[in-house]
């Protein structure tokens, strides 16, 4: 579980690479959804606020056997 102030998110996995982290969510859907991408950006934002370096996020669509990489850039410094 990721928690920053009143924001809470629970990605399926957090991948830990040598110098950054990436949230990964599994979806049981036959179509790529913008809502799913927004959900991953929300997780990435919380991780950034928790002082984690986030470069990208991933969605894995189980029925499609497809992974979608979503680049993430830092949102702000407030």
């Amino acid at each position: 579980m990721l928690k920053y102030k009143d924001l809470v998110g629970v990605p399926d996995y957090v991948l830990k690479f040598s110098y950054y982290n990436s949230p990964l969510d599994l979806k049981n859907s036959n179509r790529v959804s913008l809502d799913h991408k927004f959900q991953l950006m929300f997780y990435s934002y919380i991780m950034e606020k928790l002082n984690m370096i986030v470069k990208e996020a991933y969605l894995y669509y189980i029925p499609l056997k497809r992974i979608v990489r979503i680049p993430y850039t830092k949102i702000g410094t407030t």
Side-chain angles (χ1 to χ4, degrees), residues 2-5 14 16-22 42-55 72 74 76-78:
L2 303 170
K3 184 171 172 45
Y4 176 76
K5 296 186 180 181
V14 174
K16 296 180 185 270
F17 297 101
S18 58
Y19 63 96
Y20 67 95
N21 299 293
S22 293
F42 176 73
Y43 296 153
S44 297
Y45 177 76
I46 295 172
M47 291 169 66
E48 175 186 291
K49 289 302 188 182
L50 295 172
N51 295 319
M52 295 182 194
I53 297 171
V54 181
K55 299 282 184 187
Y72 180 77
K74 191 169 181 162
T77 59
T78 57

Side-chain angles (χ1 to χ4, degrees), residues 1-3 7-14 23-27 39-40 42-44 46-47:
M1 176 171 49
L2 303 170
K3 184 171 172 45
L7 303 176
V8 178
V10 184
D12 292 325
Y13 297 94
V14 174
L24 164 67
D25 236 23
L26 308 177
K27 298 295 181 189
Q39 182 181 12
L40 267 287
F42 176 73
Y43 296 153
S44 297
I46 295 172
M47 291 169 66

Side-chain angles (χ1 to χ4, degrees), residues 58-73:
Y58 296 97
L59 285 165
Y60 182 72
Y61 289 89
I62 298 166
L64 302 175
K65 296 182 181 175
R66 178 177 174 201
I67 193 160
V68 176
R69 180 184 163 272
I70 305 162
Y72 180 77
T73 52

Side-chain angles (χ1 to χ4, degrees), residues 21-40:
N21 299 293
S22 293
L24 164 67
D25 236 23
L26 308 177
K27 298 295 181 189
N28 194 13
S29 174
N30 286 316
R31 66 179 192 86
V32 176
S33 167
L34 192 57
D35 289 345
H36 298 159
K37 291 180 181 181
F38 283 133
Q39 182 181 12
L40 267 287

